[in-house]
Structure formats: C-alpha cells, structure tokens
Amino acid sequence: MDPLRIGIRTVLCYLFLLALVRVSGKRGVRQVTTFDFVLVLILGDMVDDALWAEVPFSQFVVATSTLVLTKLAMTTYKRLGVPGRA
Amino acid sequence: MRELSVLGLALGALGLIALVVFGLHDRTTLTSPPEAVAEEFVRRLAAHRPERARDELSARAKPVYPVKRLSAWFGDVESVVDPIDRIEGKDPGMGNDEAWATVAVASARRKVDIRVSLVREHGAWRVDKLPGPDEFSP
C-alpha cells in the first residue's frame, strides 16, 4: 500500500483522536479507570483498521465518536445519580 | 456540554471527509482503496460469511451473485488453495469510476491470483465482477 497515503491517514487519525480526547475532557492518566483502559484497547483496534484503510475514514470517525459519546453519557448519568438508589 | 462538543467534532470531521471524497474526488486516502476492498471481500468469504461479503458488492453485482453462488465461487478457490494461510490485496489500477485489483490467496504449497473488477458507488469502491475458475492465475 502507498506509504504516503498511510502517512496521511496516520496524521489524520492522530489529529482526530487528539481533538476527541481534548473535547471529551480527559486531562491526565490519574483519571483513567479500568474501563477507560478497555476503551483505549478498542480505540486502538479501530485505529488499526483506519490506518490500513480496511474501513473508510468516515466509519472510523463514526465508531470512535460513538464510543466516546457513550462513555461521556454514562459518566454524566452516574454523576447525576442513578434513580432509585440512595 | 462535552457530549455536544464530541458530536460537533464528529459532524465536522464527517463534513470534511464528504468534501474530500465527493468534492475533491478522493478515491484512495479517506476511502478504502480497491485492493483493500477486494482483500476484505475475499477475507469474508474465507471466513465463510458470504452474507457479509455481499455488502462489498456493487448494486449491479448483488443480483448476479446471491449467497449460494458466492459460496460456490469461493468453493472453487478453496478447491485449489486449501487450507488458506494468506490473503493479500495487491496491484491496484484505476480508471475514472472503475478499478481492478488482484487478491493473492495462498496456502503453504499453492497460490492463486484472483483479478477482481470494482466500480465506485457513492464514494466507495465496490466489487463488480469476479473471474471464473478458469481465470484464476497460479
């Protein structure tokens, strides 16, 4: 596969993930939970597919954003408190 | 608020991708190139998932290759190369909205090259024509 295109995709993945991590609010590894680590592994597999163009870049964007959005929604839900719990 | 930021970022990125793919006619960088699509198609068949492989077919090819016919076609490949050790897409070529690529399917002892034709549909490459068993090159 063309090395130039692999390079372009790598830079784009890097920039998109950097932006995604910044806007999702993570600032340091002290905040990382065990489940965050699992999410990082899943994200790593998604990056692999995008770098080797096994999936179109749009699918990478949709999948990673959905994963991070779900994580943020769960965090917000927990912060607001689970109904029915003391 | 953070959720909205992530959503905005994703929508912005998708907009940019659409601009590059449809506006600038990108065919290999932000979309999967022909050899990657052809390789993925054969991988799905090798995993005995012809229903998923059909997702990679063009609108014109879907009625031509129902699940049974696809399975039979890949059965011809497996009759030459079995067990399959390696699948690799290579040698892509491109016209305007047409492309071709070779998928090498190999076992420890034998190898066949399958030449696949593809067409561009909605910004993505799709498998359009498959060679007959007599067209597999060793």
Side-chain angles (χ1 to χ4, degrees), chain A residues 1-2 5 8-9 12 16 19-20 23-25 52-58 61-62 65 68-69 72-73 76, chain B residues 2-7 9-11 13-14 17 26 28-33 35-37 39-40 56 124 126:
Chain A
M1 198 173 286
D2 187 353
R5 298 189 192 290
I8 293 171
R9 280 194 290 267
L12 290 175
F16 182 72
L20 200 59
V23 299
S24 71
W52 301 112
E54 287 166 12
V55 297
F57 209 77
S58 54
V61 167
V62 170
S65 304
V68 172
L69 264 178
L72 284 177
T76 305
Chain B
R2 284 176 183 167
E3 287 89 339
L4 284 179
S5 305
V6 171
L7 197 59
L9 177 70
L11 291 176
L14 289 174
I17 292 167
D26 167 56
T28 51
T29 306
L30 297 187
T31 57
S32 297
E35 73 274 21
V37 173
E39 180 182 315
E40 184 63 23
E56 302 286 343
R126 295 279 176 251

Coordinates of all heavy atoms in Angstrom, one line a residue, chain A residues 1-2 5 8-9 12 16 19-20 23-25 52-58 61-62 65 68-69 72-73 76, chain B residues 2-7 9-11 13-14 17 26 28-33 35-37 39-40 56 124 126:
Chain A
M1 N 0.8 -1.2 0.0 CA 0.0 0.0 0.0 C 0.9 1.3 0.0 O 2.0 1.2 0.6 CB -0.9 0.0 1.2 CG -2.1 0.9 1.1 SD -3.3 0.7 2.5 CE -4.0 -0.9 2.0
D2 N 0.4 2.3 -0.6 CA 1.1 3.5 -0.8 C 1.5 4.1 0.5 O 0.7 4.5 1.3 CB 0.3 4.5 -1.6 CG 1.0 5.8 -2.0 OD1 2.1 5.9 -1.5 OD2 0.4 6.6 -2.7
R5 N 0.0 7.5 1.5 CA -1.4 7.5 2.0 C -1.5 7.0 3.4 O -2.3 7.4 4.2 CB -2.3 6.7 1.0 CG -2.3 7.4 -0.3 CD -3.3 6.8 -1.3 NE -3.0 7.2 -2.6 CZ -3.2 8.5 -3.0 NH1 -3.7 9.4 -2.2 NH2 -3.0 8.8 -4.3
I8 N -0.6 9.9 5.6 CA -1.7 10.9 5.7 C -2.8 10.4 6.6 O -3.2 11.1 7.5 CB -2.3 11.2 4.3 CG1 -1.3 11.9 3.4 CG2 -3.6 12.0 4.4 CD1 -1.7 12.0 1.9
R9 N -3.1 9.1 6.5 CA -4.2 8.5 7.4 C -3.7 8.5 8.8 O -4.5 8.8 9.7 CB -4.5 7.1 6.9 CG -5.5 7.1 5.7 CD -6.1 5.7 5.6 NE -5.1 4.8 5.1 CZ -4.9 4.5 3.8 NH1 -5.6 5.1 2.9 NH2 -4.0 3.7 3.4
L12 N -4.0 12.0 10.2 CA -5.4 12.3 10.4 C -6.0 11.6 11.6 O -6.8 12.2 12.4 CB -6.2 12.0 9.1 CG -6.0 12.9 7.9 CD1 -6.7 12.4 6.7 CD2 -6.3 14.3 8.2
F16 N -7.5 13.6 14.8 CA -8.8 13.4 15.2 C -8.9 12.8 16.6 O -9.7 13.3 17.5 CB -9.6 12.4 14.2 CG -11.0 12.2 14.6 CD1 -11.9 13.3 14.4 CD2 -11.4 11.1 15.2 CE1 -13.2 13.1 14.8 CE2 -12.8 10.9 15.5 CZ -13.7 11.9 15.3
A19 N -8.1 15.6 19.1 CA -9.2 16.5 19.3 C -10.3 15.8 20.1 O -10.9 16.4 21.0 CB -9.8 16.9 18.0
L20 N -10.6 14.5 19.9 CA -11.6 13.8 20.6 C -11.3 13.7 22.1 O -12.2 13.9 22.9 CB -11.7 12.4 19.9 CG -13.0 11.6 20.1 CD1 -14.2 12.3 19.6 CD2 -12.9 10.2 19.5
V23 N -11.7 17.3 23.7 CA -13.1 17.8 23.9 C -13.9 16.9 24.9 O -14.8 17.3 25.5 CB -13.9 17.9 22.6 CG1 -13.3 19.0 21.7 CG2 -14.1 16.6 21.9
S24 N -13.4 15.6 25.0 CA -14.1 14.7 25.9 C -13.7 15.0 27.4 O -14.3 14.5 28.3 CB -13.8 13.3 25.6 OG -12.5 12.9 25.9
G25 N -12.7 15.8 27.6 CA -12.4 16.3 28.9 C -11.3 15.6 29.7 O -11.0 15.9 30.8
W52 N -4.8 1.0 7.9 CA -4.6 0.1 6.8 C -5.8 0.2 5.8 O -5.9 -0.6 4.9 CB -4.4 -1.3 7.2 CG -3.2 -1.4 8.1 CD1 -3.2 -1.7 9.5 CD2 -1.8 -1.2 7.8 NE1 -1.9 -1.6 9.9 CE2 -1.1 -1.3 8.9 CE3 -1.2 -0.8 6.6 CZ2 0.3 -1.1 9.0 CZ3 0.2 -0.6 6.6 CH2 0.9 -0.8 7.8
A53 N -6.6 1.2 6.0 CA -7.7 1.5 5.1 C -8.7 0.3 4.9 O -9.3 0.1 3.8 CB -7.2 2.0 3.7
E54 N -8.8 -0.5 6.0 CA -9.7 -1.6 5.9 C -11.1 -1.1 6.0 O -12.1 -1.8 5.6 CB -9.4 -2.6 7.0 CG -8.2 -3.4 6.7 CD -7.6 -4.1 8.0 OE1 -8.3 -4.2 9.0 OE2 -6.5 -4.6 7.9
V55 N -11.3 0.1 6.5 CA -12.6 0.7 6.6 C -12.4 2.2 6.1 O -11.4 2.7 6.2 CB -13.2 0.7 8.0 CG1 -13.5 -0.7 8.5 CG2 -12.3 1.5 9.0
P56 N -13.5 2.8 5.5 CA -13.4 4.2 5.1 C -13.2 5.0 6.4 O -13.6 4.7 7.5 CB -14.7 4.5 4.5 CG -15.3 3.1 4.1 CD -14.8 2.2 5.1
F57 N -12.6 6.2 6.2 CA -12.3 7.1 7.4 C -13.6 7.5 8.1 O -13.6 7.7 9.3 CB -11.5 8.3 6.9 CG -10.6 8.8 8.0 CD1 -9.4 8.1 8.3 CD2 -10.9 9.9 8.7 CE1 -8.6 8.6 9.3 CE2 -10.1 10.4 9.7 CZ -8.9 9.7 10.0
S58 N -14.7 7.7 7.3 CA -15.9 8.1 7.9 C -16.4 7.1 8.9 O -16.9 7.4 10.0 CB -17.0 8.3 6.8 OG -17.1 7.1 6.0
V61 N -14.5 7.6 12.1 CA -15.0 8.8 12.8 C -16.3 8.4 13.6 O -16.4 8.7 14.8 CB -15.2 10.0 11.9 CG1 -15.9 11.1 12.5 CG2 -13.8 10.5 11.4
V62 N -17.2 7.8 12.9 CA -18.5 7.4 13.5 C -18.2 6.5 14.7 O -18.8 6.7 15.8 CB -19.4 6.8 12.5 CG1 -20.6 6.2 13.1 CG2 -19.8 7.8 11.4
S65 N -16.3 8.2 17.7 CA -17.1 9.2 18.3 C -18.3 8.6 19.1 O -18.6 9.1 20.2 CB -17.7 10.2 17.2 OG -16.7 10.7 16.5
V68 N -16.9 7.3 22.4 CA -16.6 8.3 23.4 C -17.9 9.0 23.8 O -18.0 9.3 25.0 CB -15.6 9.4 22.7 CG1 -15.5 10.6 23.6 CG2 -14.3 8.7 22.5
L69 N -18.8 9.2 22.9 CA -20.1 9.8 23.4 C -20.8 8.9 24.4 O -21.4 9.4 25.4 CB -21.0 9.9 22.1 CG -21.0 11.3 21.4 CD1 -21.9 11.2 20.2 CD2 -21.5 12.4 22.4
L72 N -19.1 9.3 27.7 CA -19.5 10.5 28.3 C -20.9 10.5 28.9 O -21.2 11.0 30.0 CB -19.4 11.7 27.3 CG -17.9 12.1 26.9 CD1 -18.0 13.2 25.9 CD2 -17.2 12.6 28.2
A73 N -21.8 9.9 28.1 CA -23.2 9.8 28.5 C -23.3 9.0 29.8 O -24.0 9.4 30.8 CB -24.1 9.2 27.4
T76 N -22.0 11.1 32.7 CA -23.0 12.1 33.1 C -24.1 11.5 33.9 O -24.5 12.0 35.0 CB -23.5 12.8 31.9 OG1 -22.5 13.3 31.1 CG2 -24.5 13.9 32.2
Chain B
R2 N -19.9 18.5 27.0 CA -18.9 17.8 26.4 C -19.4 16.9 25.3 O -18.8 16.7 24.3 CB -18.1 16.9 27.4 CG -17.2 17.7 28.3 CD -16.6 16.8 29.3 NE -15.7 17.6 30.2 CZ -15.2 17.2 31.3 NH1 -15.5 15.9 31.7 NH2 -14.5 17.9 32.1
E3 N -20.6 16.3 25.6 CA -21.3 15.4 24.6 C -21.5 16.2 23.3 O -21.3 15.7 22.2 CB -22.6 14.9 25.1 CG -22.5 13.8 26.2 CD -22.4 14.4 27.6 OE1 -22.1 15.6 27.7 OE2 -22.7 13.6 28.5
L4 N -22.0 17.5 23.4 CA -22.2 18.3 22.3 C -20.9 18.6 21.5 O -20.9 18.7 20.3 CB -22.9 19.6 22.7 CG -24.4 19.5 23.0 CD1 -25.0 20.8 23.4 CD2 -25.2 18.9 21.8
S5 N -19.9 18.8 22.3 CA -18.6 19.1 21.6 C -18.1 17.9 20.8 O -17.6 18.1 19.7 CB -17.5 19.4 22.7 OG -17.9 20.5 23.5
V6 N -18.2 16.7 21.4 CA -17.8 15.5 20.6 C -18.7 15.3 19.4 O -18.2 15.0 18.3 CB -17.9 14.2 21.6 CG1 -17.7 13.0 20.8 CG2 -16.9 14.3 22.7
L7 N -20.0 15.5 19.6 CA -20.9 15.4 18.4 C -20.6 16.4 17.3 O -20.5 16.1 16.2 CB -22.4 15.7 18.9 CG -23.5 15.2 18.0 CD1 -23.4 13.7 17.7 CD2 -24.8 15.6 18.6
L9 N -17.6 17.8 16.8 CA -16.4 17.4 16.2 C -16.6 16.3 15.2 O -16.0 16.3 14.1 CB -15.4 16.9 17.3 CG -14.1 16.3 16.9 CD1 -13.2 17.5 16.4 CD2 -13.4 15.6 18.0
A10 N -17.4 15.3 15.6 CA -17.7 14.2 14.7 C -18.4 14.7 13.4 O -18.0 14.3 12.3 CB -18.5 13.1 15.4
L11 N -19.4 15.5 13.6 CA -20.1 16.0 12.4 C -19.2 16.9 11.5 O -19.2 16.8 10.3 CB -21.3 16.8 12.8 CG -22.4 16.0 13.5 CD1 -23.6 16.9 14.0 CD2 -23.0 15.0 12.5
A13 N -15.9 16.6 11.2 CA -15.0 15.6 10.6 C -15.7 14.9 9.4 O -15.1 14.8 8.3 CB -14.5 14.6 11.6
L14 N -16.9 14.5 9.6 CA -17.7 13.8 8.5 C -17.9 14.8 7.4 O -17.8 14.4 6.2 CB -19.0 13.3 9.1 CG -18.9 12.1 10.0 CD1 -20.3 11.7 10.6 CD2 -18.3 10.9 9.3
I17 N -14.7 15.0 5.5 CA -14.5 13.8 4.7 C -15.4 13.8 3.4 O -14.9 13.5 2.3 CB -14.8 12.5 5.6 CG1 -13.7 12.4 6.7 CG2 -14.8 11.3 4.7 CD1 -14.1 11.4 7.8
D26 N -11.5 12.1 -3.9 CA -10.5 11.2 -3.3 C -11.0 9.8 -3.5 O -12.2 9.5 -3.2 CB -10.4 11.5 -1.8 CG -9.6 10.5 -1.1 OD1 -8.5 10.2 -1.5 OD2 -10.1 9.9 -0.1
T28 N -8.6 7.0 -2.7 CA -7.8 6.0 -2.1 C -7.3 6.4 -0.7 O -6.7 5.5 0.0 CB -6.5 5.9 -2.9 OG1 -5.9 7.1 -3.2 CG2 -6.7 5.1 -4.2
T29 N -7.5 7.6 -0.2 CA -7.0 8.0 1.1 C -8.0 7.9 2.2 O -7.8 7.2 3.2 CB -6.4 9.4 1.0 OG1 -5.5 9.5 -0.1 CG2 -5.7 9.8 2.3
L30 N -9.1 8.6 2.0 CA -10.1 8.6 3.1 C -11.2 7.5 2.8 O -12.1 7.3 3.6 CB -10.8 10.0 3.2 CG -9.8 11.1 3.7 CD1 -10.6 12.4 4.0 CD2 -9.0 10.7 4.9
T31 N -11.1 6.9 1.6 CA -12.0 5.8 1.3 C -11.0 4.6 1.2 O -9.8 4.7 1.0 CB -12.7 5.9 0.0 OG1 -11.7 6.1 -1.0 CG2 -13.7 7.1 0.0
S32 N -11.5 3.4 1.4 CA -10.7 2.2 1.3 C -10.3 2.0 -0.2 O -11.2 2.1 -1.1 CB -11.4 0.9 1.7 OG -11.7 1.0 3.1
P33 N -9.0 1.9 -0.5 CA -8.6 1.7 -1.9 C -9.1 0.4 -2.5 O -9.4 -0.5 -1.7 CB -7.1 1.8 -1.8 CG -6.7 1.4 -0.4 CD -7.9 1.8 0.4
E35 N -7.7 -2.3 -3.7 CA -7.1 -3.6 -3.2 C -7.5 -4.0 -1.8 O -7.6 -5.1 -1.5 CB -5.5 -3.6 -3.3 CG -4.8 -2.7 -2.3 CD -4.7 -1.2 -2.8 OE1 -5.5 -0.8 -3.6 OE2 -3.8 -0.5 -2.2
A36 N -7.8 -2.9 -1.0 CA -8.2 -3.2 0.4 C -9.7 -3.7 0.4 O -10.0 -4.7 1.1 CB -8.1 -2.0 1.2
V37 N -10.5 -3.2 -0.5 CA -11.9 -3.6 -0.6 C -11.9 -5.1 -1.1 O -12.6 -5.9 -0.6 CB -12.7 -2.7 -1.5 CG1 -14.1 -3.3 -1.8 CG2 -12.8 -1.3 -0.9
E39 N -9.5 -7.3 -1.0 CA -9.0 -8.2 0.0 C -10.0 -8.5 1.1 O -10.2 -9.7 1.5 CB -7.7 -7.6 0.7 CG -7.1 -8.5 1.7 CD -5.9 -7.8 2.4 OE1 -5.0 -7.3 1.7 OE2 -5.8 -7.9 3.6
E40 N -10.7 -7.5 1.6 CA -11.7 -7.6 2.6 C -12.9 -8.6 2.1 O -13.4 -9.4 2.9 CB -12.3 -6.3 3.1 CG -13.3 -6.3 4.2 CD -12.7 -6.8 5.5 OE1 -11.5 -6.8 5.7 OE2 -13.5 -7.3 6.3
E56 N -19.9 -5.9 0.1 CA -18.9 -5.3 -0.7 C -19.2 -5.3 -2.2 O -18.4 -4.8 -2.9 CB -17.5 -6.0 -0.4 CG -17.1 -6.0 1.0 CD -16.6 -4.7 1.5 OE1 -16.3 -3.8 0.7 OE2 -16.5 -4.5 2.7
A124 N -17.5 5.1 -2.6 CA -16.7 3.9 -2.1 C -16.6 2.9 -3.2 O -17.4 2.8 -4.1 CB -17.5 3.3 -0.9
R126 N -16.6 -0.8 -4.8 CA -17.4 -2.0 -4.6 C -17.0 -3.0 -5.7 O -16.8 -2.7 -6.8 CB -18.9 -1.7 -4.8 CG -19.5 -0.8 -3.7 CD -19.8 -1.6 -2.4 NE -20.2 -0.7 -1.3 CZ -19.5 -0.4 -0.3 NH1 -18.2 -0.9 -0.1 NH2 -19.9 0.3 0.7

